[in-house]
Amino acid sequence: MKITVVADSHKNFHKLKSVVEANVDADLIIHLGDGQYELIDVANLHPDKKFVFVKGNTDHGNIKEERVITVGGHKIYCAHGHTLDVHDGTEQLLDRALYHECQIALYAHTHVYKTDFVNNVYVMNPGSISEPRGKNAPTYGVIEIAEDKTIKMNIVETE
């Protein structure tokens, strides 16, 4: 099972489209917020793909700010992170993930990629595909869940 994780596309339709098209073998695409309009447009171009989206601080409307999904036998907690003070650390994010008995916690908002393993939870921030911070290149994440349920997480640089 392959999951592509993107975030913070900030109205950059072409960047999001290129990431989705570079990952046509993905079983699921998770967008962690700040990109609702381009996600709708890209999802319309790929009706065969499954997309999950959570609301970021620049998104509007009645969209969930957090979601728990089950993929490949693992529960995944998804949030943009702006309501969890992720600029100050991932403690609140981990608390929410553990509360929901998740094995994977995904967040965004900082525009800085990160992978970690804390309290038996795989943690990933895919960075930003359009507005990375620091000296980072634009990035997104890939999670692979094998048949034996092992998890691999990678950060991928994009142009």
Side-chain angles (χ1 to χ4, degrees), residues 115-146:
T115 60
D116 208 348
F117 186 71
V118 181
N119 294 338
N120 292 317
V121 177
Y122 290 87
V123 179
M124 174 189 276
N125 182 328
S128 171
I129 61 171
S130 69
E131 298 177 5
R133 293 195 177 135
K135 296 182 181 188
N136 295 318
T139 55
Y140 63 93
V142 174
I143 299 170
E144 294 182 60
I145 302 174

mmCIF file of all heavy atoms in Angstrom, residues 115-146:
data_model
loop_
_atom_site.group_PDB
_atom_site.id
_atom_site.type_symbol
_atom_site.label_atom_id
_atom_site.label_comp_id
_atom_site.label_asym_id
_atom_site.label_seq_id
_atom_site.Cartn_x
_atom_site.Cartn_y
_atom_site.Cartn_z
ATOM 1 N N THR A 115 10.374 13.460 9.830
ATOM 2 C CA THR A 115 9.871 12.125 10.154
ATOM 3 C C THR A 115 10.449 11.747 11.501
ATOM 4 O O THR A 115 11.560 12.149 11.855
ATOM 5 C CB THR A 115 10.262 11.065 9.093
ATOM 6 O OG1 THR A 115 11.682 10.991 9.006
ATOM 7 C CG2 THR A 115 9.666 11.392 7.736
ATOM 8 N N ASP A 116 9.677 10.986 12.255
ATOM 9 C CA ASP A 116 10.112 10.611 13.594
ATOM 10 C C ASP A 116 9.350 9.358 14.024
ATOM 11 O O ASP A 116 8.372 8.966 13.382
ATOM 12 C CB ASP A 116 9.828 11.764 14.569
ATOM 13 C CG ASP A 116 10.778 11.808 15.744
ATOM 14 O OD1 ASP A 116 11.526 10.830 15.968
ATOM 15 O OD2 ASP A 116 10.772 12.817 16.461
ATOM 16 N N PHE A 117 9.792 8.761 15.096
ATOM 17 C CA PHE A 117 9.113 7.627 15.714
ATOM 18 C C PHE A 117 9.122 7.893 17.211
ATOM 19 O O PHE A 117 10.176 7.840 17.853
ATOM 20 C CB PHE A 117 9.824 6.310 15.370
ATOM 21 C CG PHE A 117 9.105 5.095 15.862
ATOM 22 C CD1 PHE A 117 7.909 4.694 15.281
ATOM 23 C CD2 PHE A 117 9.626 4.339 16.900
ATOM 24 C CE1 PHE A 117 7.243 3.559 15.730
ATOM 25 C CE2 PHE A 117 8.972 3.195 17.352
ATOM 26 C CZ PHE A 117 7.775 2.806 16.762
ATOM 27 N N VAL A 118 7.954 8.234 17.760
ATOM 28 C CA VAL A 118 7.846 8.645 19.155
ATOM 29 C C VAL A 118 6.693 7.882 19.809
ATOM 30 O O VAL A 118 5.580 7.853 19.268
ATOM 31 C CB VAL A 118 7.579 10.164 19.260
ATOM 32 C CG1 VAL A 118 7.501 10.600 20.719
ATOM 33 C CG2 VAL A 118 8.627 10.965 18.516
ATOM 34 N N ASN A 119 6.939 7.293 20.956
ATOM 35 C CA ASN A 119 5.900 6.551 21.699
ATOM 36 C C ASN A 119 5.184 5.529 20.817
ATOM 37 O O ASN A 119 3.961 5.410 20.854
ATOM 38 C CB ASN A 119 4.879 7.518 22.314
ATOM 39 C CG ASN A 119 5.478 8.384 23.379
ATOM 40 O OD1 ASN A 119 6.507 8.058 23.966
ATOM 41 N ND2 ASN A 119 4.852 9.518 23.638
ATOM 42 N N ASN A 120 5.962 4.822 19.999
ATOM 43 C CA ASN A 120 5.429 3.811 19.081
ATOM 44 C C ASN A 120 4.508 4.383 18.009
ATOM 45 O O ASN A 120 3.650 3.667 17.480
ATOM 46 C CB ASN A 120 4.715 2.689 19.841
ATOM 47 C CG ASN A 120 5.694 1.861 20.645
ATOM 48 O OD1 ASN A 120 6.769 1.523 20.154
ATOM 49 N ND2 ASN A 120 5.339 1.546 21.874
ATOM 50 N N VAL A 121 4.660 5.678 17.705
ATOM 51 C CA VAL A 121 3.878 6.320 16.654
ATOM 52 C C VAL A 121 4.841 6.874 15.608
ATOM 53 O O VAL A 121 5.802 7.574 15.935
ATOM 54 C CB VAL A 121 3.011 7.482 17.216
ATOM 55 C CG1 VAL A 121 2.255 8.199 16.106
ATOM 56 C CG2 VAL A 121 2.041 6.954 18.273
ATOM 57 N N TYR A 122 4.581 6.525 14.354
ATOM 58 C CA TYR A 122 5.323 7.109 13.242
ATOM 59 C C TYR A 122 4.750 8.501 12.994
ATOM 60 O O TYR A 122 3.534 8.657 12.858
ATOM 61 C CB TYR A 122 5.170 6.267 11.974
ATOM 62 C CG TYR A 122 5.876 4.944 12.046
ATOM 63 C CD1 TYR A 122 5.254 3.827 12.587
ATOM 64 C CD2 TYR A 122 7.178 4.816 11.567
ATOM 65 C CE1 TYR A 122 5.903 2.606 12.651
ATOM 66 C CE2 TYR A 122 7.840 3.598 11.627
ATOM 67 C CZ TYR A 122 7.195 2.504 12.172
ATOM 68 O OH TYR A 122 7.843 1.306 12.230
ATOM 69 N N VAL A 123 5.614 9.513 12.962
ATOM 70 C CA VAL A 123 5.192 10.902 12.813
ATOM 71 C C VAL A 123 5.800 11.455 11.531
ATOM 72 O O VAL A 123 6.996 11.280 11.281
ATOM 73 C CB VAL A 123 5.653 11.749 14.019
ATOM 74 C CG1 VAL A 123 5.232 13.199 13.854
ATOM 75 C CG2 VAL A 123 5.114 11.167 15.324
ATOM 76 N N MET A 124 4.966 12.136 10.743
ATOM 77 C CA MET A 124 5.478 12.736 9.508
ATOM 78 C C MET A 124 4.857 14.103 9.270
ATOM 79 O O MET A 124 3.652 14.287 9.403
ATOM 80 C CB MET A 124 5.180 11.877 8.285
ATOM 81 C CG MET A 124 5.582 12.548 6.952
ATOM 82 S SD MET A 124 5.015 11.671 5.491
ATOM 83 C CE MET A 124 6.337 10.482 5.338
ATOM 84 N N ASN A 125 5.722 15.047 8.923
ATOM 85 C CA ASN A 125 5.327 16.313 8.320
ATOM 86 C C ASN A 125 5.962 16.287 6.935
ATOM 87 O O ASN A 125 7.198 16.243 6.832
ATOM 88 C CB ASN A 125 5.841 17.499 9.134
ATOM 89 C CG ASN A 125 5.408 18.829 8.559
ATOM 90 O OD1 ASN A 125 5.254 18.986 7.358
ATOM 91 N ND2 ASN A 125 5.232 19.808 9.425
ATOM 92 N N PRO A 126 5.165 16.305 5.863
ATOM 93 C CA PRO A 126 5.741 16.200 4.523
ATOM 94 C C PRO A 126 6.408 17.476 4.030
ATOM 95 O O PRO A 126 6.981 17.484 2.940
ATOM 96 C CB PRO A 126 4.525 15.859 3.663
ATOM 97 C CG PRO A 126 3.395 16.548 4.358
ATOM 98 C CD PRO A 126 3.712 16.389 5.837
ATOM 99 N N GLY A 127 6.356 18.552 4.808
ATOM 100 C CA GLY A 127 6.873 19.831 4.341
ATOM 101 C C GLY A 127 5.845 20.497 3.448
ATOM 102 O O GLY A 127 4.660 20.199 3.522
ATOM 103 N N SER A 128 6.295 21.372 2.590
ATOM 104 C CA SER A 128 5.399 22.098 1.678
ATOM 105 C C SER A 128 5.834 21.846 0.245
ATOM 106 O O SER A 128 7.020 21.932 -0.066
ATOM 107 C CB SER A 128 5.436 23.593 1.969
ATOM 108 O OG SER A 128 4.738 24.313 0.970
ATOM 109 N N ILE A 129 4.853 21.582 -0.631
ATOM 110 C CA ILE A 129 5.195 21.377 -2.039
ATOM 111 C C ILE A 129 5.337 22.690 -2.796
ATOM 112 O O ILE A 129 5.837 22.698 -3.910
ATOM 113 C CB ILE A 129 4.194 20.452 -2.761
ATOM 114 C CG1 ILE A 129 2.783 21.027 -2.755
ATOM 115 C CG2 ILE A 129 4.239 19.061 -2.181
ATOM 116 C CD1 ILE A 129 1.806 20.258 -3.631
ATOM 117 N N SER A 130 4.929 23.803 -2.193
ATOM 118 C CA SER A 130 5.021 25.074 -2.929
ATOM 119 C C SER A 130 5.738 26.194 -2.193
ATOM 120 O O SER A 130 6.265 27.095 -2.823
ATOM 121 C CB SER A 130 3.628 25.552 -3.338
ATOM 122 O OG SER A 130 2.887 25.937 -2.209
ATOM 123 N N GLU A 131 5.761 26.157 -0.860
ATOM 124 C CA GLU A 131 6.371 27.244 -0.095
ATOM 125 C C GLU A 131 7.199 26.700 1.073
ATOM 126 O O GLU A 131 6.894 26.959 2.239
ATOM 127 C CB GLU A 131 5.288 28.187 0.439
ATOM 128 C CG GLU A 131 4.479 28.871 -0.646
ATOM 129 C CD GLU A 131 3.369 29.753 -0.095
ATOM 130 O OE1 GLU A 131 3.272 29.932 1.144
ATOM 131 O OE2 GLU A 131 2.596 30.262 -0.908
ATOM 132 N N PRO A 132 8.274 25.946 0.780
ATOM 133 C CA PRO A 132 9.086 25.401 1.873
ATOM 134 C C PRO A 132 9.779 26.514 2.655
ATOM 135 O O PRO A 132 10.056 27.587 2.107
ATOM 136 C CB PRO A 132 10.097 24.512 1.159
ATOM 137 C CG PRO A 132 10.206 25.099 -0.204
ATOM 138 C CD PRO A 132 8.836 25.639 -0.532
ATOM 139 N N ARG A 133 10.037 26.238 3.905
ATOM 140 C CA ARG A 133 10.742 27.215 4.750
ATOM 141 C C ARG A 133 12.164 26.751 4.997
ATOM 142 O O ARG A 133 12.515 25.596 4.805
ATOM 143 C CB ARG A 133 9.991 27.392 6.057
ATOM 144 C CG ARG A 133 8.643 28.044 5.811
ATOM 145 C CD ARG A 133 8.000 28.573 7.068
ATOM 146 N NE ARG A 133 6.747 29.228 6.698
ATOM 147 C CZ ARG A 133 5.605 29.069 7.328
ATOM 148 N NH1 ARG A 133 5.536 28.288 8.389
ATOM 149 N NH2 ARG A 133 4.524 29.692 6.929
ATOM 150 N N GLY A 134 12.975 27.692 5.454
ATOM 151 C CA GLY A 134 14.379 27.390 5.651
ATOM 152 C C GLY A 134 15.043 27.271 4.294
ATOM 153 O O GLY A 134 14.647 27.905 3.333
ATOM 154 N N LYS A 135 16.027 26.456 4.199
ATOM 155 C CA LYS A 135 16.728 26.253 2.931
ATOM 156 C C LYS A 135 16.285 24.953 2.271
ATOM 157 O O LYS A 135 17.007 24.388 1.458
ATOM 158 C CB LYS A 135 18.231 26.270 3.157
ATOM 159 C CG LYS A 135 18.707 27.616 3.654
ATOM 160 C CD LYS A 135 20.194 27.668 3.842
ATOM 161 C CE LYS A 135 20.541 29.057 4.358
ATOM 162 N NZ LYS A 135 21.936 29.310 4.408
ATOM 163 N N ASN A 136 15.086 24.494 2.626
ATOM 164 C CA ASN A 136 14.573 23.230 2.106
ATOM 165 C C ASN A 136 14.014 23.383 0.704
ATOM 166 O O ASN A 136 13.471 24.425 0.351
ATOM 167 C CB ASN A 136 13.464 22.693 3.018
ATOM 168 C CG ASN A 136 13.978 22.335 4.381
ATOM 169 O OD1 ASN A 136 15.039 21.748 4.503
ATOM 170 N ND2 ASN A 136 13.235 22.695 5.416
ATOM 171 N N ALA A 137 14.111 22.315 -0.057
ATOM 172 C CA ALA A 137 13.434 22.225 -1.353
ATOM 173 C C ALA A 137 11.964 21.904 -1.095
ATOM 174 O O ALA A 137 11.604 21.456 -0.001
ATOM 175 C CB ALA A 137 14.077 21.117 -2.185
ATOM 176 N N PRO A 138 11.105 22.110 -2.077
ATOM 177 C CA PRO A 138 9.721 21.639 -1.929
ATOM 178 C C PRO A 138 9.714 20.120 -1.735
ATOM 179 O O PRO A 138 10.472 19.409 -2.395
ATOM 180 C CB PRO A 138 9.069 22.018 -3.258
ATOM 181 C CG PRO A 138 9.930 23.107 -3.820
ATOM 182 C CD PRO A 138 11.321 22.801 -3.345
ATOM 183 N N THR A 139 8.876 19.644 -0.820
ATOM 184 C CA THR A 139 8.855 18.216 -0.492
ATOM 185 C C THR A 139 7.438 17.701 -0.284
ATOM 186 O O THR A 139 6.509 18.473 -0.017
ATOM 187 C CB THR A 139 9.663 17.921 0.790
ATOM 188 O OG1 THR A 139 9.157 18.744 1.854
ATOM 189 C CG2 THR A 139 11.147 18.169 0.601
ATOM 190 N N TYR A 140 7.321 16.376 -0.380
ATOM 191 C CA TYR A 140 6.111 15.664 0.007
ATOM 192 C C TYR A 140 6.548 14.342 0.628
ATOM 193 O O TYR A 140 7.734 13.992 0.603
ATOM 194 C CB TYR A 140 5.152 15.460 -1.176
ATOM 195 C CG TYR A 140 5.683 14.604 -2.301
ATOM 196 C CD1 TYR A 140 5.445 13.237 -2.341
ATOM 197 C CD2 TYR A 140 6.407 15.180 -3.349
ATOM 198 C CE1 TYR A 140 5.920 12.451 -3.383
ATOM 199 C CE2 TYR A 140 6.881 14.414 -4.396
ATOM 200 C CZ TYR A 140 6.630 13.047 -4.408
ATOM 201 O OH TYR A 140 7.097 12.272 -5.439
ATOM 202 N N GLY A 141 5.607 13.609 1.192
ATOM 203 C CA GLY A 141 5.940 12.360 1.844
ATOM 204 C C GLY A 141 5.349 11.152 1.147
ATOM 205 O O GLY A 141 4.340 11.257 0.455
ATOM 206 N N VAL A 142 5.996 10.024 1.334
ATOM 207 C CA VAL A 142 5.485 8.742 0.859
ATOM 208 C C VAL A 142 5.553 7.757 2.021
ATOM 209 O O VAL A 142 6.597 7.618 2.667
ATOM 210 C CB VAL A 142 6.299 8.211 -0.346
ATOM 211 C CG1 VAL A 142 5.844 6.807 -0.720
ATOM 212 C CG2 VAL A 142 6.183 9.156 -1.538
ATOM 213 N N ILE A 143 4.431 7.116 2.258
ATOM 214 C CA ILE A 143 4.353 6.065 3.276
ATOM 215 C C ILE A 143 4.040 4.766 2.552
ATOM 216 O O ILE A 143 3.120 4.710 1.733
ATOM 217 C CB ILE A 143 3.249 6.354 4.312
ATOM 218 C CG1 ILE A 143 3.531 7.671 5.038
ATOM 219 C CG2 ILE A 143 3.125 5.196 5.309
ATOM 220 C CD1 ILE A 143 2.377 8.142 5.899
ATOM 221 N N GLU A 144 4.814 3.746 2.864
ATOM 222 C CA GLU A 144 4.545 2.422 2.302
ATOM 223 C C GLU A 144 4.252 1.465 3.442
ATOM 224 O O GLU A 144 5.007 1.396 4.414
ATOM 225 C CB GLU A 144 5.737 1.952 1.482
ATOM 226 C CG GLU A 144 5.947 2.805 0.239
ATOM 227 C CD GLU A 144 7.096 2.312 -0.609
ATOM 228 O OE1 GLU A 144 7.019 1.160 -1.062
ATOM 229 O OE2 GLU A 144 8.050 3.084 -0.780
ATOM 230 N N ILE A 145 3.132 0.770 3.312
ATOM 231 C CA ILE A 145 2.739 -0.231 4.296
ATOM 232 C C ILE A 145 2.778 -1.585 3.597
ATOM 233 O O ILE A 145 2.019 -1.830 2.656
ATOM 234 C CB ILE A 145 1.336 0.051 4.868
ATOM 235 C CG1 ILE A 145 1.298 1.451 5.511
ATOM 236 C CG2 ILE A 145 0.955 -1.027 5.888
ATOM 237 C CD1 ILE A 145 -0.078 1.889 5.970
ATOM 238 N N ALA A 146 3.688 -2.430 4.045
ATOM 239 C CA ALA A 146 3.876 -3.745 3.427
ATOM 240 C C ALA A 146 2.771 -4.712 3.878
ATOM 241 O O ALA A 146 2.031 -4.439 4.830
ATOM 242 C CB ALA A 146 5.248 -4.294 3.789
#
